[in-house]
Amino acid sequence: MDDSARVSSEQACVDRPALLRALRGLLPRDSVLARDEELAPYECDGLSAYRCRPLVVVLPDSIEQVQAVMRLCSARGVPNSLMSAPPEKDLPAPLT
């Protein structure tokens, strides 16, 4: 990865393969984005000077799925951020 898609120090401490297995146990497979080309659109918001590629992006479909993912992240000490979906759902809302 180049500097435009840095990994944060908090991300470096996360066991990514174990996290992906756990998330795929909670959500449908297509709701867990993990390939570089899937993660690239989520590496920054409106401030493209500050980029950090997420470890994973999840696209939960229900409140229960959001709660399960947040519990998992909390239990494992995984840093996360939330984005809400736009009404037209042009771009899925991630939990990164």
Side-chain angles (χ1 to χ4, degrees):
M1 247 181 250
D2 65 353
D3 279 353
S4 66
R6 291 182 291 275
V7 173
S8 73
S9 59
E10 293 90 4
Q11 290 175 338
C13 297
V14 175
D15 181 349
R16 187 172 186 263
L19 177 62
L20 288 172
R21 283 191 301 274
L23 289 168
R24 288 179 175 140
L26 296 174
L27 301 171
R29 190 162 187 85
D30 62 346
S31 293
V32 180
L33 309 181
R35 295 190 320 262
D36 280 342
E37 62 271 14
E38 294 172 324
L39 299 176
Y42 300 99
E43 68 186 24
C44 68
D45 55 13
L47 302 172
S48 61
Y50 303 101
R51 293 175 184 248
C52 185
R53 178 96 23 111
L55 287 172
V56 62
V57 171
V58 297
L59 307 171
D61 290 324
S62 68
I63 292 170
E64 293 78 18
Q65 287 179 349
V66 172
Q67 290 170 331
V69 169
M70 294 306 293
R71 284 188 195 107
L72 175 71
C73 290
S74 178
R76 292 175 181 244
V78 175
N80 60 77
S81 61
L82 298 170
M83 293 175 63
S84 61
E88 64 278 86
K89 294 194 176 194
D90 289 338
L91 183 64
L95 172 67
T96 61

